[in-house]
mmCIF file of all heavy atoms in Angstrom:
data_model
loop_
_atom_site.group_PDB
_atom_site.id
_atom_site.type_symbol
_atom_site.label_atom_id
_atom_site.label_comp_id
_atom_site.label_asym_id
_atom_site.label_seq_id
_atom_site.Cartn_x
_atom_site.Cartn_y
_atom_site.Cartn_z
ATOM 1 N N GLU A 1 110.991 74.409 221.209
ATOM 2 C CA GLU A 1 110.525 73.933 219.891
ATOM 3 C C GLU A 1 111.533 74.182 218.759
ATOM 4 O O GLU A 1 111.975 75.284 218.637
ATOM 5 C CB GLU A 1 109.133 74.687 219.451
ATOM 6 C CG GLU A 1 108.544 74.061 218.204
ATOM 7 C CD GLU A 1 107.176 74.780 217.931
ATOM 8 O OE1 GLU A 1 106.137 74.312 218.485
ATOM 9 O OE2 GLU A 1 107.147 75.734 217.051
ATOM 10 N N VAL A 2 111.805 73.171 217.962
ATOM 11 C CA VAL A 2 112.824 73.268 217.004
ATOM 12 C C VAL A 2 112.207 72.948 215.609
ATOM 13 O O VAL A 2 111.569 71.954 215.545
ATOM 14 C CB VAL A 2 114.029 72.314 217.246
ATOM 15 C CG1 VAL A 2 115.091 72.418 216.076
ATOM 16 C CG2 VAL A 2 114.706 72.580 218.600
ATOM 17 N N SER A 3 112.411 73.861 214.708
ATOM 18 C CA SER A 3 111.722 73.651 213.337
ATOM 19 C C SER A 3 112.866 73.244 212.383
ATOM 20 O O SER A 3 113.887 73.894 212.344
ATOM 21 C CB SER A 3 111.069 74.895 212.823
ATOM 22 O OG SER A 3 110.071 75.301 213.812
ATOM 23 N N LEU A 4 112.616 72.236 211.564
ATOM 24 C CA LEU A 4 113.568 71.730 210.545
ATOM 25 C C LEU A 4 112.928 71.947 209.132
ATOM 26 O O LEU A 4 111.895 71.320 208.777
ATOM 27 C CB LEU A 4 113.896 70.330 210.771
ATOM 28 C CG LEU A 4 114.509 69.999 212.124
ATOM 29 C CD1 LEU A 4 113.482 69.336 213.073
ATOM 30 C CD2 LEU A 4 115.716 69.109 212.054
ATOM 31 N N PHE A 5 113.508 72.895 208.355
ATOM 32 C CA PHE A 5 113.001 73.249 207.096
ATOM 33 C C PHE A 5 113.752 72.606 206.031
ATOM 34 O O PHE A 5 115.082 72.625 206.059
ATOM 35 C CB PHE A 5 113.018 74.792 206.939
ATOM 36 C CG PHE A 5 111.977 75.535 207.689
ATOM 37 C CD1 PHE A 5 112.199 75.930 209.009
ATOM 38 C CD2 PHE A 5 110.710 75.827 207.093
ATOM 39 C CE1 PHE A 5 111.297 76.635 209.751
ATOM 40 C CE2 PHE A 5 109.748 76.543 207.833
ATOM 41 C CZ PHE A 5 110.002 76.945 209.097
ATOM 42 N N LEU A 6 113.113 72.095 205.042
ATOM 43 C CA LEU A 6 113.774 71.396 203.868
ATOM 44 C C LEU A 6 113.756 72.436 202.746
ATOM 45 O O LEU A 6 112.668 73.062 202.325
ATOM 46 C CB LEU A 6 113.050 70.210 203.470
ATOM 47 C CG LEU A 6 113.491 69.422 202.233
ATOM 48 C CD1 LEU A 6 115.012 68.997 202.378
ATOM 49 C CD2 LEU A 6 112.594 68.331 201.903
ATOM 50 N N PHE A 7 114.932 72.826 202.145
ATOM 51 C CA PHE A 7 114.921 73.727 201.091
ATOM 52 C C PHE A 7 115.551 72.979 199.871
ATOM 53 O O PHE A 7 116.285 72.096 199.903
ATOM 54 C CB PHE A 7 115.994 74.930 201.388
ATOM 55 C CG PHE A 7 115.383 75.772 202.381
ATOM 56 C CD1 PHE A 7 115.781 75.697 203.763
ATOM 57 C CD2 PHE A 7 114.556 76.813 202.141
ATOM 58 C CE1 PHE A 7 115.268 76.524 204.748
ATOM 59 C CE2 PHE A 7 114.040 77.683 203.025
ATOM 60 C CZ PHE A 7 114.287 77.573 204.343
ATOM 61 N N ASP A 8 115.131 73.451 198.668
ATOM 62 C CA ASP A 8 115.540 72.881 197.344
ATOM 63 C C ASP A 8 115.694 74.148 196.342
ATOM 64 O O ASP A 8 114.697 74.788 196.078
ATOM 65 C CB ASP A 8 114.682 71.861 196.872
ATOM 66 C CG ASP A 8 115.338 71.168 195.684
ATOM 67 O OD1 ASP A 8 115.316 71.615 194.562
ATOM 68 O OD2 ASP A 8 115.840 69.971 195.890
ATOM 69 N N ASP A 9 116.880 74.295 195.886
ATOM 70 C CA ASP A 9 117.137 75.539 195.025
ATOM 71 C C ASP A 9 116.288 75.432 193.792
ATOM 72 O O ASP A 9 115.772 76.468 193.266
ATOM 73 C CB ASP A 9 118.562 75.655 194.575
ATOM 74 C CG ASP A 9 119.479 75.855 195.825
ATOM 75 O OD1 ASP A 9 118.967 76.432 196.788
ATOM 76 O OD2 ASP A 9 120.671 75.594 195.783
ATOM 77 N N ALA A 10 116.090 74.281 193.183
ATOM 78 C CA ALA A 10 115.236 74.121 191.947
ATOM 79 C C ALA A 10 113.811 73.903 192.207
ATOM 80 O O ALA A 10 112.971 73.738 191.298
ATOM 81 C CB ALA A 10 115.831 73.033 191.145
ATOM 82 N N GLY A 11 113.389 73.786 193.484
ATOM 83 C CA GLY A 11 111.997 73.525 193.816
ATOM 84 C C GLY A 11 111.611 72.066 193.687
ATOM 85 O O GLY A 11 110.439 71.713 193.658
ATOM 86 N N MET A 12 112.629 71.157 193.346
ATOM 87 C CA MET A 12 112.360 69.707 193.152
ATOM 88 C C MET A 12 112.665 69.023 194.524
ATOM 89 O O MET A 12 113.674 68.440 194.740
ATOM 90 C CB MET A 12 113.254 69.152 192.157
ATOM 91 C CG MET A 12 113.164 69.866 190.756
ATOM 92 S SD MET A 12 111.506 69.647 190.028
ATOM 93 C CE MET A 12 111.553 67.901 189.619
ATOM 94 N N TYR A 13 111.608 69.053 195.363
ATOM 95 C CA TYR A 13 111.854 68.583 196.694
ATOM 96 C C TYR A 13 111.732 66.979 196.694
ATOM 97 O O TYR A 13 111.025 66.351 195.947
ATOM 98 C CB TYR A 13 110.650 69.000 197.697
ATOM 99 C CG TYR A 13 110.825 70.466 198.063
ATOM 100 C CD1 TYR A 13 110.185 71.432 197.168
ATOM 101 C CD2 TYR A 13 111.620 70.849 199.154
ATOM 102 C CE1 TYR A 13 110.252 72.729 197.538
ATOM 103 C CE2 TYR A 13 111.705 72.243 199.430
ATOM 104 C CZ TYR A 13 111.066 73.167 198.635
ATOM 105 O OH TYR A 13 111.200 74.473 198.860
ATOM 106 N N PRO A 14 112.628 66.256 197.540
ATOM 107 C CA PRO A 14 112.638 64.911 197.601
ATOM 108 C C PRO A 14 111.269 64.398 198.112
ATOM 109 O O PRO A 14 110.478 65.159 198.659
ATOM 110 C CB PRO A 14 113.651 64.531 198.582
ATOM 111 C CG PRO A 14 114.559 65.771 198.642
ATOM 112 C CD PRO A 14 113.652 66.940 198.350
ATOM 113 N N ASN A 15 110.810 63.178 197.824
ATOM 114 C CA ASN A 15 109.608 62.609 198.271
ATOM 115 C C ASN A 15 109.492 62.531 199.778
ATOM 116 O O ASN A 15 108.401 62.675 200.273
ATOM 117 C CB ASN A 15 109.425 61.266 197.672
ATOM 118 C CG ASN A 15 109.344 61.150 196.234
ATOM 119 O OD1 ASN A 15 108.805 62.205 195.654
ATOM 120 N ND2 ASN A 15 109.806 60.046 195.537
ATOM 121 N N GLY A 16 110.594 62.451 200.397
ATOM 122 C CA GLY A 16 110.616 62.412 201.913
ATOM 123 C C GLY A 16 111.913 62.328 202.486
ATOM 124 O O GLY A 16 112.684 61.391 201.978
ATOM 125 N N VAL A 17 112.260 62.966 203.525
ATOM 126 C CA VAL A 17 113.554 62.941 204.107
ATOM 127 C C VAL A 17 113.323 62.451 205.566
ATOM 128 O O VAL A 17 112.674 63.209 206.315
ATOM 129 C CB VAL A 17 114.371 64.310 204.045
ATOM 130 C CG1 VAL A 17 115.725 64.116 204.664
ATOM 131 C CG2 VAL A 17 114.486 64.721 202.582
ATOM 132 N N ARG A 18 113.945 61.362 205.888
ATOM 133 C CA ARG A 18 113.827 60.864 207.287
ATOM 134 C C ARG A 18 114.997 61.521 208.057
ATOM 135 O O ARG A 18 116.164 61.497 207.832
ATOM 136 C CB ARG A 18 113.904 59.336 207.320
ATOM 137 C CG ARG A 18 113.763 58.814 208.768
ATOM 138 C CD ARG A 18 113.663 57.288 208.696
ATOM 139 N NE ARG A 18 112.510 56.795 208.014
ATOM 140 C CZ ARG A 18 111.403 56.698 208.597
ATOM 141 N NH1 ARG A 18 111.209 56.950 209.933
ATOM 142 N NH2 ARG A 18 110.323 56.234 207.923
ATOM 143 N N LEU A 19 114.621 62.047 209.270
ATOM 144 C CA LEU A 19 115.548 62.741 210.094
ATOM 145 C C LEU A 19 115.618 62.075 211.447
ATOM 146 O O LEU A 19 114.579 61.766 212.082
ATOM 147 C CB LEU A 19 115.232 64.199 210.362
ATOM 148 C CG LEU A 19 115.145 65.101 209.048
ATOM 149 C CD1 LEU A 19 114.668 66.438 209.410
ATOM 150 C CD2 LEU A 19 116.416 65.066 208.356
ATOM 151 N N ASN A 20 116.849 61.705 211.917
ATOM 152 C CA ASN A 20 117.031 61.237 213.244
ATOM 153 C C ASN A 20 117.758 62.388 214.030
ATOM 154 O O ASN A 20 118.722 62.995 213.649
ATOM 155 C CB ASN A 20 118.008 59.987 213.259
ATOM 156 C CG ASN A 20 117.347 58.805 212.648
ATOM 157 O OD1 ASN A 20 116.119 58.542 212.860
ATOM 158 N ND2 ASN A 20 118.098 58.013 211.933
ATOM 159 N N ILE A 21 117.156 62.762 215.237
ATOM 160 C CA ILE A 21 117.620 63.836 216.014
ATOM 161 C C ILE A 21 118.212 63.341 217.287
ATOM 162 O O ILE A 21 117.468 62.655 218.027
ATOM 163 C CB ILE A 21 116.464 64.847 216.272
ATOM 164 C CG1 ILE A 21 115.950 65.410 215.023
ATOM 165 C CG2 ILE A 21 116.917 66.022 217.187
ATOM 166 C CD1 ILE A 21 114.688 64.747 214.444
ATOM 167 N N ILE A 22 119.499 63.641 217.587
ATOM 168 C CA ILE A 22 120.111 63.084 218.810
ATOM 169 C C ILE A 22 120.562 64.425 219.633
ATOM 170 O O ILE A 22 121.494 65.112 219.081
ATOM 171 C CB ILE A 22 121.279 62.277 218.452
ATOM 172 C CG1 ILE A 22 120.818 61.097 217.603
ATOM 173 C CG2 ILE A 22 121.948 61.695 219.661
ATOM 174 C CD1 ILE A 22 121.925 60.331 217.002
ATOM 175 N N PRO A 23 120.072 64.639 220.796
ATOM 176 C CA PRO A 23 120.531 65.835 221.596
ATOM 177 C C PRO A 23 121.726 65.496 222.432
ATOM 178 O O PRO A 23 121.977 64.331 222.847
ATOM 179 C CB PRO A 23 119.290 66.151 222.438
ATOM 180 C CG PRO A 23 118.628 64.758 222.625
ATOM 181 C CD PRO A 23 118.869 64.028 221.368
ATOM 182 N N SER A 24 122.570 66.470 222.758
ATOM 183 C CA SER A 24 123.620 66.218 223.589
ATOM 184 C C SER A 24 123.288 66.060 225.042
ATOM 185 O O SER A 24 123.947 65.380 225.851
ATOM 186 C CB SER A 24 124.702 67.428 223.448
ATOM 187 O OG SER A 24 124.065 68.644 223.715
ATOM 188 N N TYR A 25 122.171 66.738 225.467
ATOM 189 C CA TYR A 25 121.574 66.568 226.746
ATOM 190 C C TYR A 25 119.993 66.402 226.546
ATOM 191 O O TYR A 25 119.451 66.869 225.540
ATOM 192 C CB TYR A 25 121.885 67.737 227.664
ATOM 193 C CG TYR A 25 123.296 67.833 228.058
ATOM 194 C CD1 TYR A 25 124.115 68.738 227.276
ATOM 195 C CD2 TYR A 25 123.845 67.172 229.063
ATOM 196 C CE1 TYR A 25 125.456 68.880 227.586
ATOM 197 C CE2 TYR A 25 125.244 67.337 229.403
ATOM 198 C CZ TYR A 25 125.962 68.139 228.717
ATOM 199 O OH TYR A 25 127.264 68.292 229.054
ATOM 200 N N GLY A 26 119.369 65.926 227.602
ATOM 201 C CA GLY A 26 117.876 65.999 227.604
ATOM 202 C C GLY A 26 117.266 64.873 226.668
ATOM 203 O O GLY A 26 117.922 64.007 226.255
ATOM 204 N N ARG A 27 115.980 65.171 226.374
ATOM 205 C CA ARG A 27 115.123 64.317 225.589
ATOM 206 C C ARG A 27 114.475 65.108 224.457
ATOM 207 O O ARG A 27 114.026 66.358 224.693
ATOM 208 C CB ARG A 27 114.121 63.627 226.382
ATOM 209 C CG ARG A 27 114.656 62.649 227.478
ATOM 210 C CD ARG A 27 113.560 62.195 228.309
ATOM 211 N NE ARG A 27 112.888 63.216 229.052
ATOM 212 C CZ ARG A 27 111.592 63.203 229.493
ATOM 213 N NH1 ARG A 27 110.887 62.158 229.299
ATOM 214 N NH2 ARG A 27 111.083 64.207 230.118
ATOM 215 N N VAL A 28 114.341 64.495 223.281
ATOM 216 C CA VAL A 28 113.685 65.104 222.137
ATOM 217 C C VAL A 28 112.558 64.290 221.677
ATOM 218 O O VAL A 28 112.675 63.035 221.740
ATOM 219 C CB VAL A 28 114.623 65.398 221.009
ATOM 220 C CG1 VAL A 28 115.301 64.066 220.395
ATOM 221 C CG2 VAL A 28 114.085 66.248 219.934
ATOM 222 N N TYR A 29 111.368 64.917 221.429
ATOM 223 C CA TYR A 29 110.200 64.195 220.939
ATOM 224 C C TYR A 29 109.633 64.827 219.647
ATOM 225 O O TYR A 29 109.489 66.050 219.627
ATOM 226 C CB TYR A 29 109.117 64.272 222.002
ATOM 227 C CG TYR A 29 109.463 63.655 223.341
ATOM 228 C CD1 TYR A 29 110.131 64.352 224.246
ATOM 229 C CD2 TYR A 29 109.101 62.388 223.557
ATOM 230 C CE1 TYR A 29 110.383 63.945 225.536
ATOM 231 C CE2 TYR A 29 109.381 61.798 224.878
ATOM 232 C CZ TYR A 29 110.067 62.525 225.712
ATOM 233 O OH TYR A 29 110.348 61.986 226.998
ATOM 234 N N PRO A 30 109.506 64.055 218.651
ATOM 235 C CA PRO A 30 109.855 62.655 218.420
ATOM 236 C C PRO A 30 111.369 62.521 218.078
ATOM 237 O O PRO A 30 111.903 63.692 217.711
ATOM 238 C CB PRO A 30 109.007 62.131 217.331
ATOM 239 C CG PRO A 30 108.731 63.398 216.448
ATOM 240 C CD PRO A 30 108.696 64.519 217.442
ATOM 241 N N GLN A 31 111.906 61.367 218.242
ATOM 242 C CA GLN A 31 113.357 61.346 217.886
ATOM 243 C C GLN A 31 113.503 61.074 216.343
ATOM 244 O O GLN A 31 114.617 61.271 215.819
ATOM 245 C CB GLN A 31 113.954 60.007 218.622
ATOM 246 C CG GLN A 31 113.979 60.259 220.246
ATOM 247 C CD GLN A 31 114.509 59.101 220.875
ATOM 248 O OE1 GLN A 31 114.655 58.005 220.362
ATOM 249 N NE2 GLN A 31 114.779 59.229 222.159
ATOM 250 N N GLN A 32 112.457 60.605 215.737
ATOM 251 C CA GLN A 32 112.465 60.561 214.258
ATOM 252 C C GLN A 32 111.362 61.161 213.772
ATOM 253 O O GLN A 32 110.196 61.151 214.282
ATOM 254 C CB GLN A 32 112.567 59.083 213.901
ATOM 255 C CG GLN A 32 113.777 58.324 214.291
ATOM 256 C CD GLN A 32 113.761 56.798 213.905
ATOM 257 O OE1 GLN A 32 112.722 56.296 213.419
ATOM 258 N NE2 GLN A 32 114.900 56.181 214.040
ATOM 259 N N LEU A 33 111.528 61.782 212.451
ATOM 260 C CA LEU A 33 110.346 62.337 211.745
ATOM 261 C C LEU A 33 110.694 62.379 210.301
ATOM 262 O O LEU A 33 111.859 62.308 209.877
ATOM 263 C CB LEU A 33 109.920 63.590 212.274
ATOM 264 C CG LEU A 33 110.794 64.839 211.872
ATOM 265 C CD1 LEU A 33 109.943 66.119 212.122
ATOM 266 C CD2 LEU A 33 112.100 64.934 212.772
ATOM 267 N N VAL A 34 109.709 62.537 209.392
ATOM 268 C CA VAL A 34 109.896 62.594 207.971
ATOM 269 C C VAL A 34 109.378 64.004 207.537
ATOM 270 O O VAL A 34 108.336 64.423 207.920
ATOM 271 C CB VAL A 34 109.041 61.583 207.216
ATOM 272 C CG1 VAL A 34 109.188 61.710 205.684
ATOM 273 C CG2 VAL A 34 109.493 60.109 207.669
ATOM 274 N N VAL A 35 110.269 64.695 206.829
ATOM 275 C CA VAL A 35 109.876 65.982 206.301
ATOM 276 C C VAL A 35 109.719 65.913 204.831
ATOM 277 O O VAL A 35 110.533 65.307 204.079
ATOM 278 C CB VAL A 35 111.117 67.023 206.543
ATOM 279 C CG1 VAL A 35 110.830 68.412 206.002
ATOM 280 C CG2 VAL A 35 111.384 67.007 208.074
ATOM 281 N N LYS A 36 108.632 66.437 204.328
ATOM 282 C CA LYS A 36 108.264 66.399 202.876
ATOM 283 C C LYS A 36 107.920 67.876 202.448
ATOM 284 O O LYS A 36 107.301 68.541 203.147
ATOM 285 C CB LYS A 36 107.049 65.461 202.671
ATOM 286 C CG LYS A 36 107.187 64.008 203.051
ATOM 287 C CD LYS A 36 105.934 63.288 202.788
ATOM 288 C CE LYS A 36 106.102 61.868 203.150
ATOM 289 N NZ LYS A 36 104.875 60.963 202.933
ATOM 290 N N GLY A 37 108.440 68.156 201.301
ATOM 291 C CA GLY A 37 108.026 69.445 200.686
ATOM 292 C C GLY A 37 108.566 70.670 201.486
ATOM 293 O O GLY A 37 109.569 70.550 202.297
ATOM 294 N N GLU A 38 107.779 71.720 201.505
ATOM 295 C CA GLU A 38 108.086 72.899 202.195
ATOM 296 C C GLU A 38 107.631 72.970 203.630
ATOM 297 O O GLU A 38 107.857 73.849 204.401
ATOM 298 C CB GLU A 38 107.522 74.104 201.497
ATOM 299 C CG GLU A 38 108.085 74.271 200.086
ATOM 300 C CD GLU A 38 107.594 75.549 199.415
ATOM 301 O OE1 GLU A 38 106.348 75.821 199.375
ATOM 302 O OE2 GLU A 38 108.409 76.268 198.712
ATOM 303 N N GLU A 39 106.713 72.009 203.997
ATOM 304 C CA GLU A 39 106.204 71.914 205.381
ATOM 305 C C GLU A 39 107.284 71.523 206.370
ATOM 306 O O GLU A 39 107.975 70.412 206.181
ATOM 307 C CB GLU A 39 105.034 71.014 205.489
ATOM 308 C CG GLU A 39 104.328 70.834 206.866
ATOM 309 C CD GLU A 39 103.661 72.065 207.252
ATOM 310 O OE1 GLU A 39 103.202 72.898 206.424
ATOM 311 O OE2 GLU A 39 103.474 72.292 208.519
ATOM 312 N N PRO A 40 107.614 72.292 207.372
ATOM 313 C CA PRO A 40 108.750 71.934 208.386
ATOM 314 C C PRO A 40 108.397 70.784 209.276
ATOM 315 O O PRO A 40 107.263 70.520 209.555
ATOM 316 C CB PRO A 40 109.008 73.161 209.005
ATOM 317 C CG PRO A 40 107.633 73.928 209.106
ATOM 318 C CD PRO A 40 106.993 73.596 207.781
ATOM 319 N N GLY A 41 109.413 70.138 209.676
ATOM 320 C CA GLY A 41 109.184 69.142 210.708
ATOM 321 C C GLY A 41 109.434 69.927 212.106
ATOM 322 O O GLY A 41 110.262 70.767 212.205
ATOM 323 N N ILE A 42 108.618 69.472 213.114
ATOM 324 C CA ILE A 42 108.658 70.089 214.382
ATOM 325 C C ILE A 42 109.122 69.073 215.526
ATOM 326 O O ILE A 42 108.489 67.999 215.584
ATOM 327 C CB ILE A 42 107.283 70.744 214.784
ATOM 328 C CG1 ILE A 42 106.813 71.603 213.644
ATOM 329 C CG2 ILE A 42 107.424 71.461 216.076
ATOM 330 C CD1 ILE A 42 107.668 72.930 213.478
ATOM 331 N N VAL A 43 110.072 69.356 216.320
ATOM 332 C CA VAL A 43 110.463 68.523 217.456
ATOM 333 C C VAL A 43 110.460 69.389 218.632
ATOM 334 O O VAL A 43 110.616 70.543 218.563
ATOM 335 C CB VAL A 43 111.779 67.759 217.190
ATOM 336 C CG1 VAL A 43 111.717 66.866 216.043
ATOM 337 C CG2 VAL A 43 112.889 68.844 217.049
ATOM 338 N N LYS A 44 110.221 68.788 219.817
ATOM 339 C CA LYS A 44 110.387 69.497 221.088
ATOM 340 C C LYS A 44 111.356 68.835 222.003
ATOM 341 O O LYS A 44 111.565 67.595 222.022
ATOM 342 C CB LYS A 44 109.027 69.429 221.802
ATOM 343 C CG LYS A 44 107.932 70.294 221.079
ATOM 344 C CD LYS A 44 106.638 70.386 221.894
ATOM 345 C CE LYS A 44 105.644 71.298 221.146
ATOM 346 N NZ LYS A 44 104.417 71.532 221.949
ATOM 347 N N LEU A 45 112.089 69.743 222.685
ATOM 348 C CA LEU A 45 113.254 69.284 223.460
ATOM 349 C C LEU A 45 113.069 69.700 224.897
ATOM 350 O O LEU A 45 112.736 70.859 225.287
ATOM 351 C CB LEU A 45 114.538 69.945 222.908
ATOM 352 C CG LEU A 45 115.780 69.678 223.750
ATOM 353 C CD1 LEU A 45 116.239 68.271 223.780
ATOM 354 C CD2 LEU A 45 116.970 70.576 223.197
ATOM 355 N N VAL A 46 113.228 68.842 225.894
ATOM 356 C CA VAL A 46 113.252 69.188 227.272
ATOM 357 C C VAL A 46 114.535 68.688 227.893
ATOM 358 O O VAL A 46 115.189 67.667 227.447
ATOM 359 C CB VAL A 46 111.997 68.600 228.030
ATOM 360 C CG1 VAL A 46 110.782 69.242 227.564
ATOM 361 C CG2 VAL A 46 111.972 67.010 227.946
ATOM 362 N N SER A 47 114.922 69.257 229.065
ATOM 363 C CA SER A 47 116.172 68.783 229.647
ATOM 364 C C SER A 47 116.155 69.166 231.150
ATOM 365 O O SER A 47 115.453 70.235 231.513
ATOM 366 C CB SER A 47 117.354 69.518 229.051
ATOM 367 O OG SER A 47 118.610 69.181 229.675
ATOM 368 N N LYS A 48 116.809 68.451 231.950
ATOM 369 C CA LYS A 48 117.008 68.912 233.405
ATOM 370 C C LYS A 48 118.457 69.262 233.693
ATOM 371 O O LYS A 48 118.811 69.499 234.874
ATOM 372 C CB LYS A 48 116.614 67.650 234.283
ATOM 373 C CG LYS A 48 115.178 67.386 234.263
ATOM 374 C CD LYS A 48 114.759 66.274 235.260
ATOM 375 C CE LYS A 48 113.252 66.053 235.354
ATOM 376 N NZ LYS A 48 112.884 64.987 236.229
#
C-alpha cells in the first residue's frame, strides 16, 4: 500500500490533483487517481 499526501505550505490546497502512477515492475491499482485537500490517495502494488 502506497499513500500519496498532498501538502500546501499556505493551506491553500488545489481543487484536485490528478496523479498517474507508473511502476518499474508489477501492476498498480488504480493507475490514476485524484487527490484533494489533506486526504491522501491510496494505491496498491503487486509484482511477480
Side-chain angles (χ1 to χ4, degrees):
E1 185 177 282
V2 181
S3 302
L4 300 105
F5 286 87
L6 176 63
F7 291 96
D8 190 280
D9 293 339
M12 303 294 291
Y13 289 93
N15 292 330
V17 179
R18 182 176 296 277
L19 302 176
N20 291 324
I21 300 97
I22 305 170
S24 56
Y25 295 94
R27 298 173 297 154
V28 65
Y29 298 88
Q31 295 179 348
Q32 296 181 348
L33 77 161
V34 176
V35 180
K36 298 180 180 180
E38 295 183 318
E39 180 70 23
I42 307 295
V43 297
K44 291 188 176 183
L45 171 70
V46 295
S47 178
K48 291 187 176 181

